[in-house]
Amino acid sequence: MQATGPGATATAVRPGRQAGQPALPPAPAPRRRRRFDLSGALSPWLFLAPALAIFALFKFWPMAQAVQMSLHEVRPYLGDRWVGLDNYAQVFVDEDFLAAIGHTVVLAVGQTGGSILLGMALALLLEGSARHLWVVRTAVFLPTVVAMAVVAEVWRIMYYPAPDGAVNSVLGWLGLGPSQFLNSEDTSLWSVMAVGIWRGAPYDMMIFLAGLAGVDRNLYEAAAVDGASVWRRLWHVTVPALRPVFAILFTLAAIRGLRVFTEIFLLTNGGPNGSTEVMMTLIYKLGLERGELGIAAAGSMLLLGATVLLTLLVRLARARSERKVA
């Protein structure tokens, strides 16, 4: 029944519709054609253009040149000669390169694992909001910001191979040593690895501290109420919560380990007898000291490929882990 009278609400009836039928939805408004904002689209690229130009000039152009050189026998003033993949084959049969690849892998694995473990231990010890912890964190982080030349010189003094050297004195208190450290083929690589761990751990510590700030404290309290010990809380609460941090740190530390150069160059320069020769120092010597630029470029391309492959594997493993959690 339709309401009538002064207080009744009038219901509009469209022409052609009978009273009592449901109201039809309003007709959609005609779409306005959006105008393409050319200036808005170009503005970000104009701001990025100087940085992109510099990046292309100093990154991509040298990389393209290295690819070209790796396929040629580089002969300055005589013209390059096409050799195809011979330079890459030379890398895989050269004993010096094979030894350098082995040293690089050992150093990368050792420095990555050591710096991550030590960085996490430091982060767990120095986590908190107390003021004095900022001072301690700053002191611990100093090795990361100090120039590598200074760090190398300090460790050369600490590694003095005499019994009264700094590190040998500490070993003497424990009934060990003295050791030759950088002067012995048996200990030189491990000595360089220790320097890399000492310098990389504070950087990892800061990233761990940022990750620990995001861990839900209620989980710790719930685990403590259930009677979980400190180690079980660490293993079942902290480590799973830091899984993304581990993935990032593993990628960064592994790349840092594969591209290690300055420490080796300043501490041992690949010696003694090539016991600390790594890919980067060997590429440097081949290219700039022996003039074998083609083989050096092939080695650098293989190192770049290993770095890219490692990054992709870590990202795939992380994506698979996230899918399992979801």
Side-chain angles (χ1 to χ4, degrees), residues 95-269:
E95 293 183 357
D96 293 339
F97 252 113
L98 295 179
I101 292 173
H103 296 155
T104 303
V105 172
V106 171
L107 204 58
V109 172
Q111 287 190 358
T112 301
S115 61
I116 287 179
L117 290 177
L118 184 58
M120 184 175 178
L122 290 172
L124 292 174
L125 289 173
L126 300 178
E127 184 194 14
S129 58
R131 288 188 176 180
H132 67 278
L133 289 179
W134 285 99
V135 179
V136 180
R137 288 175 199 153
T138 304
V140 172
F141 192 68
L142 279 179
T144 303
V145 298
V146 175
M148 190 61 219
V150 177
V151 171
E153 193 57 32
V154 169
W155 276 96
R156 284 182 67 84
I157 297 172
M158 293 177 65
Y159 277 149
Y160 189 67
D164 57 349
V167 181
N168 272 330
S169 297
V170 176
L171 293 178
W173 298 340
L174 303 174
L176 303 174
S179 174
Q180 293 297 310
F181 296 114
L182 301 175
N183 295 335
S184 171
E185 297 180 19
D186 299 327
T187 58
S188 55
L189 189 63
W190 307 109
S191 301
V192 175
M193 186 186 299
V195 176
I197 294 173
W198 175 81
R199 193 164 189 265
Y203 180 81
D204 296 351
M205 177 198 73
M206 297 304 291
I207 299 180
F208 273 123
L209 285 173
L212 288 172
V215 179
D216 189 358
R217 302 295 167 184
N218 294 327
L219 296 177
Y220 289 116
E221 296 175 1
V225 170
D226 292 340
S229 62
V230 175
W231 290 108
R232 292 181 70 85
R233 276 180 275 171
L234 177 66
W235 183 252
H236 292 287
V237 177
T238 306
V239 173
L242 293 178
R243 193 173 297 164
V245 177
F246 278 112
I248 295 172
L249 283 179
F250 180 79
T251 305
L252 295 177
I255 292 175
R256 190 171 59 219
L258 288 175
R259 298 173 58 187
V260 61
F261 173 79
T262 312
E263 298 94 321
I264 300 291
F265 186 76
L266 294 175
L267 287 172
T268 63
N269 196 20

